[in-house]
Amino acid sequence: MWRCGVSSLKPNCYFHYKRNYLSLSKSNLTKHPITKYSNYSSLTMTTITESDVGILCFISSLPGFRGILKQRYSDFIVNEVDTEGNVVHLTSLDAPPEAFQEGETKISDQLNKNYASEIENFRSLACEIDVDRLEAFINQITSGREEDISPIVLSPDSDKSHRTAMHNFFKENLRFLVTDTVDGPDSSSKCIRVRLNSGNKNKGRNSNKRKRGDRPYDSRGSSHWPAHLGNFLRFHLFKENKDTQEALGLIGKMLGIQPRSFGFAGTKDKRSVSTQRVTVFKQYASRLAALNDRLIGIKVGDFCYVKDDLLLGQLLGNRFTIVLRGVVADSEDTIQASAESLGRHGFINYFGLQRFGSGSIPTHHIGATLLRGEWKAAASTILDPREGERNIISKAREYYKQTGDIDGTLKQLPRHLVAERAMLQCLKKSPGNYLQALKAIPRTLRMMYVHSYQSYLWNHAASVRVQKYGSSEVVLGDLVYSKGDDAEKTEVVPHEHEDNSLEDAYDCGQLDEISGKDLPLEKNNLVKVMTASDISTGNYTIEDVVLPMPGSRIIYPMNEVADVYHDMAKKDGISLTESVHNIKEFSITSVTGSYRRVFQKPIDFQWDLLLYTDGNLALSETDIDKIAKTRPVNPVKEENPTNGTEGEEPFNHLEQLESFEDEKKFSTDDNEVEVSREAEPPQVHSPPDLNSQEPQKALKLAFTLPASCYATMAIRELLKTSTSVAFHKTLNQ
């Protein structure tokens, strides 16, 4: 039975500030000394800890307890909440009947005819060689032979208008074929490539395979799309232990379309079970539904056709169902008090560790280098060898550093390293142009570095706000969202992430735990500085308090918290009021800035304490589990199931599939564990035997958070321990 409750609390911090926050900042710098600002690229450190990025305080002074976060990825379930407030679930795997208007012809029906007249007409546009190629290609398709049907490439053609006429010929006469343009044998020519329409269900079992090294097909969608259907197919994507980009990349490969054909509102945590909305351009539901038997760790369903695609940020938030296993506490009263406290008072709305990457080079360090205009240093930081990476990546980085051989490095470097590959390809064309190479990184990804530095300053400011002024009352000089008549006296300022462009949304990769952007629902909210008269009215509470993400259109608090931003930035060689270069996207004075609530309460919060004996059994019901109750369904297949765990691997098992770099670095360095323990209350509880058949406790939580809020920060407030991957790995050992 789900329970809720309350408790009264006081703020608590890892470290107490003796005079001001600078003493803490200095202590952090001594762990990873930086003698010169330009030395970020040579910084070597283990995986970052929470204290490194300003995650220092708690709201509650209640004791924490032991609990393992994400022992199994099904212990962390995320369901997107759409803009209408609906929790997104996968409820059906079936495609709706495909409706064709009168006069429309299915592509499959077009193969049952003779194309002698069309081929004859093609002679007026093409040379004899291309006519023969096309005739042989059509005969191969219509014969139904069980063989690989590869695309054909027509003769080089430097006349764009003639190529356009060729494309139109195929659209009008041979609808079961699609064309695109590829590079010719020299720089001045292009070639038309002809292939079987990806929407056609050809009999050949290998018809959708591409040759190794072949360029991906374009993403124009199915040709001659029915006018009565919306241009986009919306579906619900269910995935296990995969990030959003990885899952859509697999689906795109199977459909023969590019990643930019997909739209989604936010990225979801890789190590989880999640369900979210996705749109794809001009694809039939039947094609996607047919993939369910082949997809591994992924299911798609709940199809419908819509007019518009999804953009990053078009969501209200996410619904979480989280199980903490191996719970050990002084008493159940301790657990109950902590859970009730979280429900009533919430948590400090820090940016979680995912915001800063999990490798040896934090993203905010790269952001600081960009803000200083040190292009070569920033490029080196991204490309150079670093600690904790897989051997194949380390070898590729070291090879480039030693030889400078870009082609050889690209052959070795895994494709999921999007930023590195984009930079190297640019440096190949423009050697030494490091700024251009940085701009070659997809925009959403390269802006992540600057946003990470803004988040770094925000976290430290939030810690100072809690330490100096507590977490229960609004104080003089605080910034708050205005209410009532006060709204008429203040200026409109941007809400959190409003300044973040949604351009290149399809290129985003290394984003946050749950969502890359925030839907600006409160973008018309006004921010004001609290005065004594404002406080006396009692109209404002601690929930109204916000802190700025630095930028050109924000104001700072009128109290000691404002000094945190400027003094910490100054230590990093950065001015928040003047820019040392004119590259706007890497300038703190050119980005708009935004605001973020300092305290966040979980919405619709529920909790329950469970007993279990088998650590391999799921303690939460996923969407696929619910579907299986109503109809037989093939289970979501996973790579390399281990130890009878139905596809789920132990926490310390290395991921089999390639993913983005910042999700692949699991540090086991002793320093990481030691620092985490130094910053946490002492752990007095002995870990349970995970293989024991003795009953163990698990705490099950369910709550909703707005977009861009981190569920791990709520768990941190509850347990009073680090949320780092390295720390929770030690709990499994």
Side-chain angles (χ1 to χ4, degrees):
M1 177 182 293
W2 293 107
R3 292 176 277 186
C4 301
V6 297
S7 176
S8 59
L9 314 169
K10 295 180 180 180
N12 185 37
C13 286
Y14 281 153
F15 305 102
H16 291 285
Y17 298 82
K18 294 181 180 178
R19 292 186 179 179
N20 55 34
Y21 65 92
L22 291 178
S23 63
L24 175 61
S25 300
K26 290 177 182 176
S27 70
N28 283 340
L29 289 172
T30 59
K31 295 175 186 176
H32 311 297
I34 303 172
T35 55
K36 294 182 180 179
Y37 298 128
S38 60
N39 283 347
Y40 271 114
S41 61
S42 61
L43 183 69
T44 57
M45 57 182 289
T46 59
T47 305
I48 60 172
T49 65
E50 290 176 343
S51 61
D52 293 324
V53 293
I55 304 173
L56 305 169
C57 298
F58 301 102
I59 291 179
S60 156
S61 58
L62 292 170
F65 54 91
R66 187 187 189 281
I68 305 174
L69 177 64
K70 299 184 185 180
Q71 182 179 340
R72 299 161 55 86
Y73 51 77
S74 61
D75 290 343
F76 200 90
I77 299 176
V78 187
N79 290 87
E80 189 170 273
V81 180
D82 67 20
T83 53
E84 302 299 321
N86 302 308
V87 179
V88 175
H89 287 283
L90 184 71
T91 62
S92 172
L93 303 177
D94 300 322
E98 305 288 11
F100 291 87
Q101 286 185 326
E102 187 177 353
E104 292 180 349
T105 306
K106 293 182 180 180
I107 292 176
S108 57
D109 294 337
Q110 298 175 28
L111 300 180
N112 300 320
K113 61 171 287 188
N114 185 283
Y115 285 95
S117 60
E118 284 81 358
I119 292 172
E120 191 62 32
N121 292 336
F122 186 62
R123 293 183 188 277
S124 63
L125 288 173
C127 64
E128 198 65 31
I129 295 177
D130 287 342
V131 173
D132 292 340
R133 285 175 180 160
L134 178 61
E135 185 173 17
F137 187 55
I138 292 175
N139 289 338
Q140 182 184 13
I141 293 171
T142 57
S143 68
R145 291 194 298 270
E146 294 285 330
E147 56 184 286
D148 188 6
I149 300 180
S150 301
I152 60 171
V153 178
L154 303 182
S155 301
D157 188 350
S158 58
D159 186 346
K160 185 175 181 180
S161 60
H162 181 256
R163 294 198 305 271
T164 300
M166 294 276 277
H167 287 304
N168 289 335
F169 172 84
F170 283 92
K171 287 181 181 180
E172 295 170 4
N173 298 279
L174 302 170
R175 297 185 181 184
F176 61 95
L177 301 177
V178 291
T179 59
D180 61 357
T181 303
V182 296
D183 293 332
D186 55 71
S187 58
S188 63
S189 66
K190 299 286 185 180
C191 296
I192 290 178
R193 178 171 55 180
V194 184
R195 64 182 174 93
L196 183 63
N197 190 324
S198 59
N200 177 57
K201 296 180 180 179
N202 182 54
K203 295 180 180 179
R205 64 169 64 95
N206 297 318
S207 60
N208 289 326
K209 289 186 178 180
R210 289 191 285 112
K211 298 297 184 182
R212 185 176 181 85
D214 196 10
R215 274 185 49 183
Y217 301 124
D218 66 10
S219 56
R220 299 171 189 169
S222 299
S223 58
H224 300 279
W225 187 253
H228 66 290
L229 293 181
N231 281 344
F232 297 90
L233 173 68
R234 190 178 70 200
F235 61 95
H236 292 176
L237 169 67
F238 174 95
K239 60 183 182 62
E240 295 184 353
N241 200 30
K242 288 178 175 58
D243 61 51
T244 303
Q245 288 282 2
E246 180 183 4
L248 295 181
L250 291 170
I251 293 173
K253 280 186 177 181
M254 296 171 78
L255 294 175
I257 59 177
Q258 294 178 348
R260 67 169 177 262
S261 296
F262 296 99
F264 53 90
T267 61
K268 309 303 174 192
D269 195 5
K270 173 185 173 68
R271 188 170 180 82
S272 69
V273 174
S274 67
T275 306
Q276 67 186 112
R277 298 169 303 153
V278 177
T279 55
V280 62
F281 182 61
K282 290 186 177 180
Q283 293 292 327
Y284 289 107
S286 57
R287 293 201 66 217
L288 271 78
L291 301 180
N292 279 323
D293 290 336
R294 299 164 52 197
L295 287 167
I296 299 176
I298 301 168
K299 293 291 183 185
V300 293
D302 295 273
F303 305 98
C304 67
Y305 296 97
V306 295
K307 293 181 179 180
D308 301 310
D309 62 335
L310 281 169
L311 298 176
L312 280 175
Q314 291 181 332
L315 75 166
L316 284 185
N318 296 275
R319 181 72 180 173
F320 295 90
T321 305
I322 298 173
V323 174
L324 300 172
R325 293 179 184 255
V327 170
V328 179
D330 294 331
S331 67
E332 288 194 12
D333 290 341
T334 298
I335 301 172
Q336 178 175 344
S338 295
E340 291 177 347
S341 168
L342 178 62
R344 164 169 278 193
H345 300 281
F347 56 96
I348 304 170
N349 196 22
Y350 288 122
F351 290 96
L353 285 175
Q354 298 91 332
R355 183 76 161 187
F356 308 96
S358 57
S360 60
I361 305 296
T363 52
H364 68 282
H365 284 178
I366 300 173
T369 311
L370 292 171
L371 293 171
R372 292 194 298 269
E374 299 171 359
W375 314 130
K376 184 176 181 179
S380 296
T381 304
I382 296 171
L383 293 172
D384 280 356
R386 56 185 68 176
E387 296 179 6
E389 290 189 309
R390 290 180 299 148
N391 193 43
I392 185 174
I393 300 175
S394 297
K395 285 184 176 179
R397 291 188 188 277
E398 192 62 43
Y399 176 80
Y400 176 69
K401 188 175 180 64
Q402 296 296 328
T403 67
D405 177 9
I406 293 178
D407 286 333
T409 304
L410 287 171
K411 290 179 181 179
Q412 301 178 47
L413 204 62
R415 292 192 175 274
H416 69 267
L417 297 182
V418 177
E420 289 85 343
R421 293 186 65 86
M423 290 179 61
L424 289 172
Q425 288 164 351
C426 183
L427 288 172
K428 180 180 178 181
K429 297 178 181 178
S430 305
N433 193 337
Y434 297 105
L435 174 59
Q436 194 63 33
L438 291 165
K439 286 186 172 183
I441 300 172
R443 188 181 188 279
T444 311
L445 187 52
R446 68 178 182 261
M447 290 306 296
M448 174 194 66
Y449 302 126
V450 174
H451 295 156
S452 180
Y453 188 75
Q454 292 173 296
S455 305
Y456 167 76
L457 296 182
W458 191 97
N459 275 1
H460 280 282
S463 290
V464 171
R465 169 60 180 79
V466 173
Q467 165 61 20
K468 287 188 173 294
Y469 304 116
S471 59
S472 59
E473 296 179 348
V474 181
V475 300
L476 198 66
D478 269 341
L479 298 180
V480 296
Y481 282 129
S482 300
K483 297 179 180 179
D485 295 338
D486 288 338
E488 300 177 2
K489 306 173 185 177
T490 54
E491 296 181 359
V492 176
V493 290
H495 176 61
E496 179 189 358
H497 295 309
E498 182 187 350
D499 61 309
N500 295 350
S501 170
L502 293 179
E503 295 177 18
D504 297 336
Y506 299 115
D507 292 323
C508 75
Q510 302 175 10
L511 299 179
D512 292 347
E513 168 191 295
I514 54 172
S515 175
K517 301 278 172 62
D518 212 5
L519 184 68
L521 294 174
E522 298 177 289
K523 71 178 182 179
N524 292 323
N525 273 6
L526 312 178
V527 168
K528 62 170 295 177
V529 179
M530 288 294 289
T531 64
S533 61
D534 293 324
I535 294 175
S536 65
T537 65
N539 290 335
Y540 294 94
T541 69
I542 195 67
E543 295 179 29
D544 300 312
V545 175
V546 299
L547 282 173
M549 298 277 282
S552 61
R553 290 178 54 195
I554 56 93
I555 57 176
Y556 291 94
M558 297 294 288
N559 52 36
E560 293 184 58
V561 178
D563 295 336
V564 179
Y565 292 94
H566 297 285
D567 290 345
M568 293 198 71
K570 184 178 179 180
K571 281 181 170 292
D572 291 332
I574 297 167
S575 170
L576 299 181
T577 57
E578 298 178 2
S579 180
V580 297
H581 57 76
N582 60 358
I583 308 302
K584 290 186 176 181
E585 63 182 295
F586 299 143
S587 169
I588 202 72
T589 59
S590 296
V591 296
T592 305
S594 55
Y595 295 90
R596 180 179 179 88
R597 294 184 185 274
V598 179
F599 305 99
Q600 179 63 52
K601 288 184 181 180
I603 303 165
D604 297 330
F605 179 70
Q606 299 172 301
W607 65 276
D608 196 10
L609 198 58
L610 309 174
L611 291 177
Y612 68 97
T613 55
D614 187 348
N616 292 324
L617 292 181
L619 299 178
S620 293
E621 193 173 51
T622 68
D623 287 347
I624 284 294
D625 294 332
K626 295 173 184 176
I627 292 176
K629 287 182 176 180
T630 60
R631 52 166 284 184
V633 60
N634 292 331
V636 176
K637 294 179 288 184
E638 182 58 73
E639 301 89 348
N640 302 333
T642 58
N643 300 328
T645 58
E646 297 180 355
E648 297 197 15
E649 72 282 10
F651 187 91
N652 61 355
H653 185 69
L654 293 177
E655 309 292 356
Q656 296 91 350
L657 292 179
E658 291 181 345
S659 184
F660 286 99
E661 169 190 8
D662 65 340
E663 292 173 330
K664 297 300 298 186
K665 301 166 191 163
F666 299 135
S667 172
T668 56
D669 193 289
D670 291 340
N671 293 332
E672 159 68 10
V673 178
E674 185 175 344
V675 171
S676 294
R677 289 172 179 167
E678 175 189 4
E680 295 155 5
Q683 298 297 303
V684 297
H685 310 299
S686 299
D689 182 358
L690 297 179
N691 295 318
S692 171
Q693 292 302 307
E694 292 295 321
Q696 297 183 48
K697 290 187 179 71
L699 180 61
K700 185 176 180 181
L701 309 164
F703 54 86
T704 299
L705 293 178
S708 87
C709 294
Y710 289 75
T712 50
M713 293 298 97
I715 301 302
R716 173 183 175 275
E717 176 68 34
L718 188 72
L719 299 180
K720 302 296 191 297
T721 59
S722 171
T723 59
S724 71
V725 171
F727 175 76
H728 280 268
K729 280 181 66 176
T730 65
L731 300 183
N732 277 285
Q733 297 172 354

